[in-house]
Amino acid sequence: MNYASWGIRVGANLIDGLVLLPFAILAGVFAGFSMDAETGQVSNPNPLYYVFILLMFLLNAYNRWYLAGKTGQSWGKKATGISLVAEATGQPIGVGKAFLRELAHFVDGIICYIGYLFPIWDAKKQTIGDKIMSTVVVR
């Protein structure tokens, strides 16, 4: 297999993040937290804040769990020409495994994000989350 380099994977993740950026900005605009000077209570944000947070979550779920699970490619992976596949079969991993892979990336982050750097030196260019889920990212 032709494993995707760390740089290409970072590029794909940046593209996936840019897709969410407008919703994050709009959520920030509508957050509107303020503190009452007399009581010290924090006000609730505008309801549109929750709408944009929900839209951001749903868009991310569709892109990174559904699309990546069904086709092997999120929008970022498609733009960079890489695919997420099962190590054993070379086929897309399915929606459930794509979701679990995202959860497994928690391990990559809890050790000072070093798990995300593993593809730099790993023979199969896998993160720890990829190793846990037996997935690879290929060109």
PDB file of all heavy atoms in Angstrom, residues 33-55:
ATOM      1  N   PHE A  33     -22.204  35.890  25.646  1.00  0.00           N
ATOM      2  CA  PHE A  33     -22.154  35.761  27.102  1.00  0.00           C
ATOM      3  C   PHE A  33     -21.869  37.126  27.712  1.00  0.00           C
ATOM      4  O   PHE A  33     -21.028  37.871  27.239  1.00  0.00           O
ATOM      5  CB  PHE A  33     -21.045  34.788  27.528  1.00  0.00           C
ATOM      6  CG  PHE A  33     -21.327  33.362  27.195  1.00  0.00           C
ATOM      7  CD1 PHE A  33     -20.666  32.739  26.153  1.00  0.00           C
ATOM      8  CD2 PHE A  33     -22.262  32.636  27.908  1.00  0.00           C
ATOM      9  CE1 PHE A  33     -20.916  31.418  25.843  1.00  0.00           C
ATOM     10  CE2 PHE A  33     -22.522  31.315  27.605  1.00  0.00           C
ATOM     11  CZ  PHE A  33     -21.848  30.704  26.571  1.00  0.00           C
ATOM     12  N   SER A  34     -22.576  37.441  28.766  1.00  0.00           N
ATOM     13  CA  SER A  34     -22.299  38.678  29.498  1.00  0.00           C
ATOM     14  C   SER A  34     -22.572  38.432  30.971  1.00  0.00           C
ATOM     15  O   SER A  34     -23.338  37.547  31.334  1.00  0.00           O
ATOM     16  CB  SER A  34     -23.156  39.831  28.967  1.00  0.00           C
ATOM     17  OG  SER A  34     -24.524  39.547  29.145  1.00  0.00           O
ATOM     18  N   MET A  35     -21.924  39.237  31.795  1.00  0.00           N
ATOM     19  CA  MET A  35     -22.089  39.069  33.238  1.00  0.00           C
ATOM     20  C   MET A  35     -22.796  40.286  33.797  1.00  0.00           C
ATOM     21  O   MET A  35     -22.445  41.424  33.500  1.00  0.00           O
ATOM     22  CB  MET A  35     -20.726  38.898  33.911  1.00  0.00           C
ATOM     23  CG  MET A  35     -20.833  38.650  35.410  1.00  0.00           C
ATOM     24  SD  MET A  35     -19.245  38.437  36.205  1.00  0.00           S
ATOM     25  CE  MET A  35     -18.802  36.820  35.661  1.00  0.00           C
ATOM     26  N   ASP A  36     -23.804  40.038  34.617  1.00  0.00           N
ATOM     27  CA  ASP A  36     -24.512  41.104  35.290  1.00  0.00           C
ATOM     28  C   ASP A  36     -23.603  41.646  36.392  1.00  0.00           C
ATOM     29  O   ASP A  36     -23.155  40.893  37.269  1.00  0.00           O
ATOM     30  CB  ASP A  36     -25.818  40.568  35.876  1.00  0.00           C
ATOM     31  CG  ASP A  36     -26.670  41.664  36.483  1.00  0.00           C
ATOM     32  OD1 ASP A  36     -26.229  42.241  37.508  1.00  0.00           O
ATOM     33  OD2 ASP A  36     -27.745  41.929  35.939  1.00  0.00           O
ATOM     34  N   ALA A  37     -23.324  42.946  36.353  1.00  0.00           N
ATOM     35  CA  ALA A  37     -22.377  43.549  37.298  1.00  0.00           C
ATOM     36  C   ALA A  37     -22.872  43.471  38.739  1.00  0.00           C
ATOM     37  O   ALA A  37     -22.077  43.353  39.669  1.00  0.00           O
ATOM     38  CB  ALA A  37     -22.120  45.000  36.915  1.00  0.00           C
ATOM     39  N   GLU A  38     -24.166  43.539  38.937  1.00  0.00           N
ATOM     40  CA  GLU A  38     -24.703  43.534  40.301  1.00  0.00           C
ATOM     41  C   GLU A  38     -24.779  42.131  40.903  1.00  0.00           C
ATOM     42  O   GLU A  38     -24.405  41.915  42.044  1.00  0.00           O
ATOM     43  CB  GLU A  38     -26.087  44.183  40.319  1.00  0.00           C
ATOM     44  CG  GLU A  38     -26.032  45.666  40.020  1.00  0.00           C
ATOM     45  CD  GLU A  38     -27.430  46.278  40.011  1.00  0.00           C
ATOM     46  OE1 GLU A  38     -28.355  45.675  40.586  1.00  0.00           O
ATOM     47  OE2 GLU A  38     -27.569  47.347  39.413  1.00  0.00           O
ATOM     48  N   THR A  39     -25.267  41.166  40.105  1.00  0.00           N
ATOM     49  CA  THR A  39     -25.481  39.820  40.650  1.00  0.00           C
ATOM     50  C   THR A  39     -24.313  38.874  40.373  1.00  0.00           C
ATOM     51  O   THR A  39     -24.170  37.862  41.041  1.00  0.00           O
ATOM     52  CB  THR A  39     -26.764  39.191  40.076  1.00  0.00           C
ATOM     53  OG1 THR A  39     -26.595  39.002  38.664  1.00  0.00           O
ATOM     54  CG2 THR A  39     -27.971  40.050  40.369  1.00  0.00           C
ATOM     55  N   GLY A  40     -23.507  39.190  39.358  1.00  0.00           N
ATOM     56  CA  GLY A  40     -22.396  38.325  38.986  1.00  0.00           C
ATOM     57  C   GLY A  40     -22.825  37.105  38.187  1.00  0.00           C
ATOM     58  O   GLY A  40     -22.020  36.220  37.915  1.00  0.00           O
ATOM     59  N   GLN A  41     -24.092  37.060  37.776  1.00  0.00           N
ATOM     60  CA  GLN A  41     -24.575  35.933  37.007  1.00  0.00           C
ATOM     61  C   GLN A  41     -24.258  36.116  35.524  1.00  0.00           C
ATOM     62  O   GLN A  41     -24.332  37.221  35.000  1.00  0.00           O
ATOM     63  CB  GLN A  41     -26.078  35.758  37.184  1.00  0.00           C
ATOM     64  CG  GLN A  41     -26.460  35.240  38.561  1.00  0.00           C
ATOM     65  CD  GLN A  41     -27.935  34.941  38.631  1.00  0.00           C
ATOM     66  OE1 GLN A  41     -28.753  35.676  38.097  1.00  0.00           O
ATOM     67  NE2 GLN A  41     -28.264  33.838  39.305  1.00  0.00           N
ATOM     68  N   VAL A  42     -23.908  34.989  34.892  1.00  0.00           N
ATOM     69  CA  VAL A  42     -23.615  34.999  33.462  1.00  0.00           C
ATOM     70  C   VAL A  42     -24.908  34.730  32.711  1.00  0.00           C
ATOM     71  O   VAL A  42     -25.651  33.801  33.056  1.00  0.00           O
ATOM     72  CB  VAL A  42     -22.557  33.931  33.112  1.00  0.00           C
ATOM     73  CG1 VAL A  42     -22.300  33.888  31.616  1.00  0.00           C
ATOM     74  CG2 VAL A  42     -21.267  34.195  33.871  1.00  0.00           C
ATOM     75  N   SER A  43     -25.160  35.547  31.685  1.00  0.00           N
ATOM     76  CA  SER A  43     -26.386  35.364  30.895  1.00  0.00           C
ATOM     77  C   SER A  43     -26.216  34.199  29.921  1.00  0.00           C
ATOM     78  O   SER A  43     -25.107  33.821  29.567  1.00  0.00           O
ATOM     79  CB  SER A  43     -26.697  36.634  30.107  1.00  0.00           C
ATOM     80  OG  SER A  43     -25.716  36.837  29.112  1.00  0.00           O
ATOM     81  N   ASN A  44     -27.314  33.653  29.496  1.00  0.00           N
ATOM     82  CA  ASN A  44     -27.296  32.588  28.500  1.00  0.00           C
ATOM     83  C   ASN A  44     -27.023  33.173  27.128  1.00  0.00           C
ATOM     84  O   ASN A  44     -27.418  34.305  26.836  1.00  0.00           O
ATOM     85  CB  ASN A  44     -28.636  31.852  28.482  1.00  0.00           C
ATOM     86  CG  ASN A  44     -28.863  31.044  29.736  1.00  0.00           C
ATOM     87  OD1 ASN A  44     -27.916  30.519  30.308  1.00  0.00           O
ATOM     88  ND2 ASN A  44     -30.108  30.948  30.163  1.00  0.00           N
ATOM     89  N   PRO A  45     -26.394  32.392  26.256  1.00  0.00           N
ATOM     90  CA  PRO A  45     -26.149  32.899  24.909  1.00  0.00           C
ATOM     91  C   PRO A  45     -27.438  32.950  24.092  1.00  0.00           C
ATOM     92  O   PRO A  45     -28.439  32.318  24.439  1.00  0.00           O
ATOM     93  CB  PRO A  45     -25.174  31.889  24.319  1.00  0.00           C
ATOM     94  CG  PRO A  45     -25.380  30.651  25.100  1.00  0.00           C
ATOM     95  CD  PRO A  45     -25.805  31.074  26.464  1.00  0.00           C
ATOM     96  N   ASN A  46     -27.384  33.675  22.998  1.00  0.00           N
ATOM     97  CA  ASN A  46     -28.466  33.745  22.041  1.00  0.00           C
ATOM     98  C   ASN A  46     -28.771  32.322  21.557  1.00  0.00           C
ATOM     99  O   ASN A  46     -27.855  31.539  21.332  1.00  0.00           O
ATOM    100  CB  ASN A  46     -28.003  34.635  20.878  1.00  0.00           C
ATOM    101  CG  ASN A  46     -29.067  34.858  19.844  1.00  0.00           C
ATOM    102  OD1 ASN A  46     -29.708  33.929  19.373  1.00  0.00           O
ATOM    103  ND2 ASN A  46     -29.229  36.113  19.466  1.00  0.00           N
ATOM    104  N   PRO A  47     -30.037  31.958  21.363  1.00  0.00           N
ATOM    105  CA  PRO A  47     -30.368  30.605  20.882  1.00  0.00           C
ATOM    106  C   PRO A  47     -29.686  30.230  19.558  1.00  0.00           C
ATOM    107  O   PRO A  47     -29.443  29.057  19.300  1.00  0.00           O
ATOM    108  CB  PRO A  47     -31.883  30.633  20.728  1.00  0.00           C
ATOM    109  CG  PRO A  47     -32.332  31.680  21.694  1.00  0.00           C
ATOM    110  CD  PRO A  47     -31.235  32.711  21.707  1.00  0.00           C
ATOM    111  N   LEU A  48     -29.361  31.228  18.732  1.00  0.00           N
ATOM    112  CA  LEU A  48     -28.666  30.932  17.474  1.00  0.00           C
ATOM    113  C   LEU A  48     -27.280  30.337  17.719  1.00  0.00           C
ATOM    114  O   LEU A  48     -26.760  29.609  16.881  1.00  0.00           O
ATOM    115  CB  LEU A  48     -28.562  32.183  16.601  1.00  0.00           C
ATOM    116  CG  LEU A  48     -29.868  32.605  15.934  1.00  0.00           C
ATOM    117  CD1 LEU A  48     -29.692  33.923  15.196  1.00  0.00           C
ATOM    118  CD2 LEU A  48     -30.368  31.530  14.994  1.00  0.00           C
ATOM    119  N   TYR A  49     -26.700  30.627  18.863  1.00  0.00           N
ATOM    120  CA  TYR A  49     -25.418  30.016  19.235  1.00  0.00           C
ATOM    121  C   TYR A  49     -25.555  28.494  19.195  1.00  0.00           C
ATOM    122  O   TYR A  49     -24.742  27.791  18.590  1.00  0.00           O
ATOM    123  CB  TYR A  49     -25.004  30.487  20.627  1.00  0.00           C
ATOM    124  CG  TYR A  49     -23.902  29.665  21.257  1.00  0.00           C
ATOM    125  CD1 TYR A  49     -22.575  29.855  20.893  1.00  0.00           C
ATOM    126  CD2 TYR A  49     -24.196  28.694  22.218  1.00  0.00           C
ATOM    127  CE1 TYR A  49     -21.570  29.101  21.474  1.00  0.00           C
ATOM    128  CE2 TYR A  49     -23.195  27.940  22.803  1.00  0.00           C
ATOM    129  CZ  TYR A  49     -21.878  28.145  22.427  1.00  0.00           C
ATOM    130  OH  TYR A  49     -20.889  27.395  22.989  1.00  0.00           O
ATOM    131  N   TYR A  50     -26.595  27.975  19.826  1.00  0.00           N
ATOM    132  CA  TYR A  50     -26.820  26.533  19.880  1.00  0.00           C
ATOM    133  C   TYR A  50     -27.135  25.956  18.498  1.00  0.00           C
ATOM    134  O   TYR A  50     -26.741  24.833  18.180  1.00  0.00           O
ATOM    135  CB  TYR A  50     -27.941  26.201  20.872  1.00  0.00           C
ATOM    136  CG  TYR A  50     -27.592  26.593  22.282  1.00  0.00           C
ATOM    137  CD1 TYR A  50     -28.219  27.679  22.887  1.00  0.00           C
ATOM    138  CD2 TYR A  50     -26.615  25.908  22.995  1.00  0.00           C
ATOM    139  CE1 TYR A  50     -27.896  28.046  24.184  1.00  0.00           C
ATOM    140  CE2 TYR A  50     -26.286  26.276  24.286  1.00  0.00           C
ATOM    141  CZ  TYR A  50     -26.931  27.345  24.878  1.00  0.00           C
ATOM    142  OH  TYR A  50     -26.591  27.713  26.156  1.00  0.00           O
ATOM    143  N   VAL A  51     -27.828  26.728  17.678  1.00  0.00           N
ATOM    144  CA  VAL A  51     -28.139  26.287  16.317  1.00  0.00           C
ATOM    145  C   VAL A  51     -26.847  26.073  15.535  1.00  0.00           C
ATOM    146  O   VAL A  51     -26.658  25.038  14.873  1.00  0.00           O
ATOM    147  CB  VAL A  51     -29.061  27.303  15.598  1.00  0.00           C
ATOM    148  CG1 VAL A  51     -29.164  26.986  14.108  1.00  0.00           C
ATOM    149  CG2 VAL A  51     -30.428  27.334  16.257  1.00  0.00           C
ATOM    150  N   PHE A  52     -25.922  27.052  15.606  1.00  0.00           N
ATOM    151  CA  PHE A  52     -24.677  26.928  14.848  1.00  0.00           C
ATOM    152  C   PHE A  52     -23.748  25.861  15.417  1.00  0.00           C
ATOM    153  O   PHE A  52     -23.043  25.180  14.671  1.00  0.00           O
ATOM    154  CB  PHE A  52     -23.976  28.283  14.727  1.00  0.00           C
ATOM    155  CG  PHE A  52     -24.668  29.193  13.756  1.00  0.00           C
ATOM    156  CD1 PHE A  52     -25.325  30.327  14.199  1.00  0.00           C
ATOM    157  CD2 PHE A  52     -24.705  28.906  12.408  1.00  0.00           C
ATOM    158  CE1 PHE A  52     -25.990  31.159  13.322  1.00  0.00           C
ATOM    159  CE2 PHE A  52     -25.369  29.714  11.510  1.00  0.00           C
ATOM    160  CZ  PHE A  52     -26.009  30.845  11.967  1.00  0.00           C
ATOM    161  N   ILE A  53     -23.758  25.663  16.714  1.00  0.00           N
ATOM    162  CA  ILE A  53     -22.983  24.571  17.317  1.00  0.00           C
ATOM    163  C   ILE A  53     -23.530  23.232  16.827  1.00  0.00           C
ATOM    164  O   ILE A  53     -22.770  22.323  16.452  1.00  0.00           O
ATOM    165  CB  ILE A  53     -23.007  24.650  18.857  1.00  0.00           C
ATOM    166  CG1 ILE A  53     -22.237  25.871  19.353  1.00  0.00           C
ATOM    167  CG2 ILE A  53     -22.472  23.362  19.487  1.00  0.00           C
ATOM    168  CD1 ILE A  53     -20.743  25.849  19.075  1.00  0.00           C
ATOM    169  N   LEU A  54     -24.846  23.085  16.805  1.00  0.00           N
ATOM    170  CA  LEU A  54     -25.469  21.849  16.330  1.00  0.00           C
ATOM    171  C   LEU A  54     -25.159  21.620  14.845  1.00  0.00           C
ATOM    172  O   LEU A  54     -24.823  20.495  14.444  1.00  0.00           O
ATOM    173  CB  LEU A  54     -26.978  21.883  16.562  1.00  0.00           C
ATOM    174  CG  LEU A  54     -27.753  20.670  16.057  1.00  0.00           C
ATOM    175  CD1 LEU A  54     -27.308  19.402  16.790  1.00  0.00           C
ATOM    176  CD2 LEU A  54     -29.255  20.895  16.217  1.00  0.00           C
ATOM    177  N   LEU A  55     -25.268  22.667  14.034  1.00  0.00           N
ATOM    178  CA  LEU A  55     -24.954  22.541  12.607  1.00  0.00           C
ATOM    179  C   LEU A  55     -23.504  22.130  12.402  1.00  0.00           C
ATOM    180  O   LEU A  55     -23.196  21.297  11.547  1.00  0.00           O
ATOM    181  CB  LEU A  55     -25.256  23.845  11.868  1.00  0.00           C
ATOM    182  CG  LEU A  55     -26.728  24.168  11.661  1.00  0.00           C
ATOM    183  CD1 LEU A  55     -26.891  25.568  11.086  1.00  0.00           C
ATOM    184  CD2 LEU A  55     -27.390  23.133  10.773  1.00  0.00           C
TER     185      LEU A  55
END
